[in-house]
Amino acid sequence: MALRPIDNALPTIPERPKKQAKLSIPIQTQKKTSDFGVNEENKASPLPPPPPPADASVDYISSEKLKPFEDPESKIQGLVEGLESKDWVKVCESLNDVRRFSLHHSTVLLPILEKVMLILVKAMNNPRSALCKTSIMAASDIFNAFGEKLLDFTDSGAFDRLLLQLLLKASQDKKFVCEEADKSLKSMVNSIAPLPLLNKLSGYVNHGNLRVRAKAAVSISNSVSKMGVDEIKEFGLVKLLQMATGSLNDRLPEAREAARSIVFSVYKAFTENEDENPGEAWQSFCQSSLSPIQAQSIIKAVGSQ
């Protein structure tokens, strides 16, 4: 028997068509263009804002160069408004006007002086160094012109606020502000009698800021150096020694030196009429009037002179 070809033995199964792989064609997005055909990527970055205008220069005028007003009665009318201006250059100009009034027309300024002093304190707190320094210079001229009259402003505490600000400004790091505040404190000491001024300064020898303590001690020392024996005794030998003891061991040399000066002034006043054994009388006085630690510090301070 003849064999059939194998191809004819099985039925033919049609071949399934192969699936063709799908090709993903990326669609190119058209970059947004401006009306002028410039791509966003190619646009120039915005220009930086212009720098702020430089501060106008302020001249620090010495007291000797400040001239009187031709019409002070008319000029005084706008003084407070100028001091309260939002334009700091205008405020500086008005502060110099305060100085001119203090030096040449003090009687015209006196009726509004208390308000002016409060504005002065505000100006000292301004972050602009030029405004701060000009206000301190104005304080110096006010001290020289009015002296103890400034102590009469008790209701508003204008003098107390001004004193604190000067002590703080004399304690800061900006050298030219610090130096100007030191000058103003010296003007204060020279223009106000020691007894009432010491009562104002005594509260700052225990201030939390060690630099304020030192500046207060220096002002007290300068004030005590102006006093005679009778004035020192009137204020109180023990009171002065107690004010000095805290500063004798202070961290700042400035405070320690001022405290030793105060103690030595008290020692001279105490021993002036002690003909025999002044040293023993002094030790006895200290030990009977002060705590043991205070007495030891005071006696040691005198021994080191």
Side-chain angles (χ1 to χ4, degrees), residues 167-190:
L167 291 171
L168 289 170
K169 296 307 173 186
S171 305
Q172 68 173 225
D173 294 328
K174 291 181 181 178
K175 185 177 179 181
F176 74 105
V177 172
C178 177
E179 290 176 347
E180 198 63 45
D182 280 335
K183 293 178 185 177
S184 189
L185 288 171
K186 289 179 181 177
S187 296
M188 176 190 70
V189 169
N190 292 332

PDB file of all heavy atoms in Angstrom, residues 167-190:
ATOM      1  N   LEU A 167      22.366 106.241  79.765  1.00  0.00           N
ATOM      2  CA  LEU A 167      23.176 105.155  80.322  1.00  0.00           C
ATOM      3  C   LEU A 167      23.214 103.958  79.368  1.00  0.00           C
ATOM      4  O   LEU A 167      24.261 103.317  79.197  1.00  0.00           O
ATOM      5  CB  LEU A 167      22.616 104.728  81.682  1.00  0.00           C
ATOM      6  CG  LEU A 167      22.778 105.731  82.823  1.00  0.00           C
ATOM      7  CD1 LEU A 167      21.997 105.279  84.052  1.00  0.00           C
ATOM      8  CD2 LEU A 167      24.244 105.927  83.188  1.00  0.00           C
ATOM      9  N   LEU A 168      22.085 103.666  78.740  1.00  0.00           N
ATOM     10  CA  LEU A 168      22.037 102.552  77.787  1.00  0.00           C
ATOM     11  C   LEU A 168      22.861 102.856  76.535  1.00  0.00           C
ATOM     12  O   LEU A 168      23.595 101.991  76.040  1.00  0.00           O
ATOM     13  CB  LEU A 168      20.585 102.260  77.398  1.00  0.00           C
ATOM     14  CG  LEU A 168      19.704 101.629  78.488  1.00  0.00           C
ATOM     15  CD1 LEU A 168      18.245 101.623  78.049  1.00  0.00           C
ATOM     16  CD2 LEU A 168      20.168 100.213  78.806  1.00  0.00           C
ATOM     17  N   LYS A 169      22.747 104.083  76.020  1.00  0.00           N
ATOM     18  CA  LYS A 169      23.503 104.431  74.817  1.00  0.00           C
ATOM     19  C   LYS A 169      25.000 104.490  75.099  1.00  0.00           C
ATOM     20  O   LYS A 169      25.813 104.150  74.242  1.00  0.00           O
ATOM     21  CB  LYS A 169      23.024 105.777  74.261  1.00  0.00           C
ATOM     22  CG  LYS A 169      21.578 105.773  73.787  1.00  0.00           C
ATOM     23  CD  LYS A 169      21.312 104.653  72.814  1.00  0.00           C
ATOM     24  CE  LYS A 169      19.850 104.534  72.471  1.00  0.00           C
ATOM     25  NZ  LYS A 169      19.552 103.338  71.632  1.00  0.00           N
ATOM     26  N   ALA A 170      25.369 104.902  76.300  1.00  0.00           N
ATOM     27  CA  ALA A 170      26.788 104.914  76.664  1.00  0.00           C
ATOM     28  C   ALA A 170      27.332 103.504  76.833  1.00  0.00           C
ATOM     29  O   ALA A 170      28.550 103.310  76.872  1.00  0.00           O
ATOM     30  CB  ALA A 170      26.984 105.705  77.957  1.00  0.00           C
ATOM     31  N   SER A 171      26.448 102.526  76.903  1.00  0.00           N
ATOM     32  CA  SER A 171      26.861 101.136  77.136  1.00  0.00           C
ATOM     33  C   SER A 171      26.885 100.302  75.873  1.00  0.00           C
ATOM     34  O   SER A 171      27.239  99.125  75.923  1.00  0.00           O
ATOM     35  CB  SER A 171      25.902 100.480  78.152  1.00  0.00           C
ATOM     36  OG  SER A 171      25.819 101.222  79.341  1.00  0.00           O
ATOM     37  N   GLN A 172      26.474 100.862  74.728  1.00  0.00           N
ATOM     38  CA  GLN A 172      26.384 100.052  73.522  1.00  0.00           C
ATOM     39  C   GLN A 172      27.697 100.014  72.751  1.00  0.00           C
ATOM     40  O   GLN A 172      28.681 100.657  73.122  1.00  0.00           O
ATOM     41  CB  GLN A 172      25.246 100.553  72.618  1.00  0.00           C
ATOM     42  CG  GLN A 172      25.455 101.908  72.000  1.00  0.00           C
ATOM     43  CD  GLN A 172      24.370 102.229  70.994  1.00  0.00           C
ATOM     44  OE1 GLN A 172      24.645 102.721  69.899  1.00  0.00           O
ATOM     45  NE2 GLN A 172      23.127 101.961  71.347  1.00  0.00           N
ATOM     46  N   ASP A 173      27.704  99.241  71.661  1.00  0.00           N
ATOM     47  CA  ASP A 173      28.949  98.967  70.940  1.00  0.00           C
ATOM     48  C   ASP A 173      29.309 100.024  69.892  1.00  0.00           C
ATOM     49  O   ASP A 173      30.461 100.094  69.481  1.00  0.00           O
ATOM     50  CB  ASP A 173      28.857  97.595  70.248  1.00  0.00           C
ATOM     51  CG  ASP A 173      28.770  96.455  71.258  1.00  0.00           C
ATOM     52  OD1 ASP A 173      29.354  96.610  72.346  1.00  0.00           O
ATOM     53  OD2 ASP A 173      28.119  95.445  70.973  1.00  0.00           O
ATOM     54  N   LYS A 174      28.324 100.795  69.421  1.00  0.00           N
ATOM     55  CA  LYS A 174      28.625 101.821  68.421  1.00  0.00           C
ATOM     56  C   LYS A 174      29.457 102.916  69.073  1.00  0.00           C
ATOM     57  O   LYS A 174      28.955 103.679  69.904  1.00  0.00           O
ATOM     58  CB  LYS A 174      27.338 102.389  67.843  1.00  0.00           C
ATOM     59  CG  LYS A 174      26.571 101.402  66.976  1.00  0.00           C
ATOM     60  CD  LYS A 174      25.316 102.028  66.408  1.00  0.00           C
ATOM     61  CE  LYS A 174      24.555 101.023  65.560  1.00  0.00           C
ATOM     62  NZ  LYS A 174      23.298 101.610  65.026  1.00  0.00           N
ATOM     63  N   LYS A 175      30.709 102.989  68.675  1.00  0.00           N
ATOM     64  CA  LYS A 175      31.661 103.833  69.391  1.00  0.00           C
ATOM     65  C   LYS A 175      31.264 105.300  69.385  1.00  0.00           C
ATOM     66  O   LYS A 175      31.307 105.972  70.421  1.00  0.00           O
ATOM     67  CB  LYS A 175      33.060 103.663  68.777  1.00  0.00           C
ATOM     68  CG  LYS A 175      34.148 104.416  69.532  1.00  0.00           C
ATOM     69  CD  LYS A 175      35.515 104.159  68.933  1.00  0.00           C
ATOM     70  CE  LYS A 175      36.589 104.930  69.683  1.00  0.00           C
ATOM     71  NZ  LYS A 175      37.936 104.708  69.096  1.00  0.00           N
ATOM     72  N   PHE A 176      30.864 105.831  68.210  1.00  0.00           N
ATOM     73  CA  PHE A 176      30.616 107.275  68.160  1.00  0.00           C
ATOM     74  C   PHE A 176      29.342 107.647  68.919  1.00  0.00           C
ATOM     75  O   PHE A 176      29.228 108.748  69.446  1.00  0.00           O
ATOM     76  CB  PHE A 176      30.574 107.767  66.712  1.00  0.00           C
ATOM     77  CG  PHE A 176      29.331 107.415  65.944  1.00  0.00           C
ATOM     78  CD1 PHE A 176      28.376 108.386  65.691  1.00  0.00           C
ATOM     79  CD2 PHE A 176      29.131 106.143  65.463  1.00  0.00           C
ATOM     80  CE1 PHE A 176      27.237 108.078  64.967  1.00  0.00           C
ATOM     81  CE2 PHE A 176      27.995 105.831  64.749  1.00  0.00           C
ATOM     82  CZ  PHE A 176      27.044 106.794  64.496  1.00  0.00           C
ATOM     83  N   VAL A 177      28.378 106.716  69.021  1.00  0.00           N
ATOM     84  CA  VAL A 177      27.188 106.961  69.842  1.00  0.00           C
ATOM     85  C   VAL A 177      27.555 106.867  71.319  1.00  0.00           C
ATOM     86  O   VAL A 177      27.138 107.696  72.136  1.00  0.00           O
ATOM     87  CB  VAL A 177      26.073 105.949  69.494  1.00  0.00           C
ATOM     88  CG1 VAL A 177      24.910 106.067  70.483  1.00  0.00           C
ATOM     89  CG2 VAL A 177      25.573 106.173  68.076  1.00  0.00           C
ATOM     90  N   CYS A 178      28.358 105.866  71.661  1.00  0.00           N
ATOM     91  CA  CYS A 178      28.802 105.668  73.039  1.00  0.00           C
ATOM     92  C   CYS A 178      29.579 106.884  73.545  1.00  0.00           C
ATOM     93  O   CYS A 178      29.348 107.374  74.659  1.00  0.00           O
ATOM     94  CB  CYS A 178      29.643 104.404  73.124  1.00  0.00           C
ATOM     95  SG  CYS A 178      30.344 104.062  74.743  1.00  0.00           S
ATOM     96  N   GLU A 179      30.493 107.384  72.731  1.00  0.00           N
ATOM     97  CA  GLU A 179      31.305 108.536  73.139  1.00  0.00           C
ATOM     98  C   GLU A 179      30.439 109.782  73.325  1.00  0.00           C
ATOM     99  O   GLU A 179      30.663 110.571  74.257  1.00  0.00           O
ATOM    100  CB  GLU A 179      32.391 108.792  72.102  1.00  0.00           C
ATOM    101  CG  GLU A 179      33.482 107.725  72.069  1.00  0.00           C
ATOM    102  CD  GLU A 179      34.487 107.949  70.962  1.00  0.00           C
ATOM    103  OE1 GLU A 179      34.199 108.776  70.073  1.00  0.00           O
ATOM    104  OE2 GLU A 179      35.555 107.292  70.979  1.00  0.00           O
ATOM    105  N   GLU A 180      29.450 109.955  72.455  1.00  0.00           N
ATOM    106  CA  GLU A 180      28.566 111.122  72.576  1.00  0.00           C
ATOM    107  C   GLU A 180      27.717 111.021  73.838  1.00  0.00           C
ATOM    108  O   GLU A 180      27.466 112.032  74.521  1.00  0.00           O
ATOM    109  CB  GLU A 180      27.665 111.226  71.336  1.00  0.00           C
ATOM    110  CG  GLU A 180      27.049 112.587  71.146  1.00  0.00           C
ATOM    111  CD  GLU A 180      28.093 113.676  70.920  1.00  0.00           C
ATOM    112  OE1 GLU A 180      29.025 113.464  70.124  1.00  0.00           O
ATOM    113  OE2 GLU A 180      27.969 114.739  71.571  1.00  0.00           O
ATOM    114  N   ALA A 181      27.268 109.810  74.176  1.00  0.00           N
ATOM    115  CA  ALA A 181      26.488 109.622  75.399  1.00  0.00           C
ATOM    116  C   ALA A 181      27.337 109.881  76.639  1.00  0.00           C
ATOM    117  O   ALA A 181      26.851 110.446  77.633  1.00  0.00           O
ATOM    118  CB  ALA A 181      25.899 108.210  75.436  1.00  0.00           C
ATOM    119  N   ASP A 182      28.605 109.491  76.602  1.00  0.00           N
ATOM    120  CA  ASP A 182      29.515 109.782  77.721  1.00  0.00           C
ATOM    121  C   ASP A 182      29.657 111.288  77.932  1.00  0.00           C
ATOM    122  O   ASP A 182      29.647 111.789  79.063  1.00  0.00           O
ATOM    123  CB  ASP A 182      30.891 109.155  77.461  1.00  0.00           C
ATOM    124  CG  ASP A 182      30.926 107.668  77.772  1.00  0.00           C
ATOM    125  OD1 ASP A 182      30.119 107.214  78.597  1.00  0.00           O
ATOM    126  OD2 ASP A 182      31.771 106.964  77.182  1.00  0.00           O
ATOM    127  N   LYS A 183      29.778 112.023  76.818  1.00  0.00           N
ATOM    128  CA  LYS A 183      29.870 113.479  76.920  1.00  0.00           C
ATOM    129  C   LYS A 183      28.607 114.071  77.537  1.00  0.00           C
ATOM    130  O   LYS A 183      28.662 115.000  78.354  1.00  0.00           O
ATOM    131  CB  LYS A 183      30.105 114.090  75.535  1.00  0.00           C
ATOM    132  CG  LYS A 183      31.444 113.768  74.899  1.00  0.00           C
ATOM    133  CD  LYS A 183      31.528 114.394  73.505  1.00  0.00           C
ATOM    134  CE  LYS A 183      32.807 114.003  72.790  1.00  0.00           C
ATOM    135  NZ  LYS A 183      32.843 114.575  71.406  1.00  0.00           N
ATOM    136  N   SER A 184      27.472 113.529  77.131  1.00  0.00           N
ATOM    137  CA  SER A 184      26.203 114.050  77.641  1.00  0.00           C
ATOM    138  C   SER A 184      26.054 113.774  79.139  1.00  0.00           C
ATOM    139  O   SER A 184      25.556 114.626  79.892  1.00  0.00           O
ATOM    140  CB  SER A 184      25.033 113.417  76.868  1.00  0.00           C
ATOM    141  OG  SER A 184      23.815 114.043  77.195  1.00  0.00           O
ATOM    142  N   LEU A 185      26.486 112.595  79.584  1.00  0.00           N
ATOM    143  CA  LEU A 185      26.432 112.282  81.014  1.00  0.00           C
ATOM    144  C   LEU A 185      27.343 113.220  81.808  1.00  0.00           C
ATOM    145  O   LEU A 185      27.007 113.627  82.926  1.00  0.00           O
ATOM    146  CB  LEU A 185      26.833 110.821  81.241  1.00  0.00           C
ATOM    147  CG  LEU A 185      25.805 109.766  80.792  1.00  0.00           C
ATOM    148  CD1 LEU A 185      26.406 108.371  80.851  1.00  0.00           C
ATOM    149  CD2 LEU A 185      24.544 109.835  81.652  1.00  0.00           C
ATOM    150  N   LYS A 186      28.487 113.572  81.235  1.00  0.00           N
ATOM    151  CA  LYS A 186      29.376 114.526  81.913  1.00  0.00           C
ATOM    152  C   LYS A 186      28.733 115.909  81.982  1.00  0.00           C
ATOM    153  O   LYS A 186      28.852 116.611  83.004  1.00  0.00           O
ATOM    154  CB  LYS A 186      30.720 114.601  81.182  1.00  0.00           C
ATOM    155  CG  LYS A 186      31.576 113.349  81.343  1.00  0.00           C
ATOM    156  CD  LYS A 186      32.889 113.466  80.576  1.00  0.00           C
ATOM    157  CE  LYS A 186      33.723 112.203  80.724  1.00  0.00           C
ATOM    158  NZ  LYS A 186      34.984 112.280  79.927  1.00  0.00           N
ATOM    159  N   SER A 187      28.037 116.302  80.919  1.00  0.00           N
ATOM    160  CA  SER A 187      27.321 117.581  80.941  1.00  0.00           C
ATOM    161  C   SER A 187      26.244 117.572  82.016  1.00  0.00           C
ATOM    162  O   SER A 187      26.025 118.578  82.705  1.00  0.00           O
ATOM    163  CB  SER A 187      26.687 117.857  79.565  1.00  0.00           C
ATOM    164  OG  SER A 187      27.663 118.004  78.573  1.00  0.00           O
ATOM    165  N   MET A 188      25.584 116.439  82.167  1.00  0.00           N
ATOM    166  CA  MET A 188      24.570 116.303  83.209  1.00  0.00           C
ATOM    167  C   MET A 188      25.180 116.482  84.599  1.00  0.00           C
ATOM    168  O   MET A 188      24.649 117.220  85.440  1.00  0.00           O
ATOM    169  CB  MET A 188      23.907 114.925  83.095  1.00  0.00           C
ATOM    170  CG  MET A 188      22.896 114.607  84.189  1.00  0.00           C
ATOM    171  SD  MET A 188      22.386 112.872  84.140  1.00  0.00           S
ATOM    172  CE  MET A 188      23.904 112.058  84.692  1.00  0.00           C
ATOM    173  N   VAL A 189      26.308 115.821  84.847  1.00  0.00           N
ATOM    174  CA  VAL A 189      26.971 115.912  86.151  1.00  0.00           C
ATOM    175  C   VAL A 189      27.427 117.344  86.431  1.00  0.00           C
ATOM    176  O   VAL A 189      27.314 117.841  87.562  1.00  0.00           O
ATOM    177  CB  VAL A 189      28.168 114.936  86.209  1.00  0.00           C
ATOM    178  CG1 VAL A 189      29.025 115.194  87.439  1.00  0.00           C
ATOM    179  CG2 VAL A 189      27.671 113.496  86.206  1.00  0.00           C
ATOM    180  N   ASN A 190      27.918 118.013  85.399  1.00  0.00           N
ATOM    181  CA  ASN A 190      28.429 119.373  85.584  1.00  0.00           C
ATOM    182  C   ASN A 190      27.327 120.416  85.763  1.00  0.00           C
ATOM    183  O   ASN A 190      27.587 121.494  86.299  1.00  0.00           O
ATOM    184  CB  ASN A 190      29.303 119.766  84.391  1.00  0.00           C
ATOM    185  CG  ASN A 190      30.591 118.966  84.336  1.00  0.00           C
ATOM    186  OD1 ASN A 190      31.103 118.526  85.358  1.00  0.00           O
ATOM    187  ND2 ASN A 190      31.114 118.766  83.133  1.00  0.00           N
TER     188      ASN A 190
END
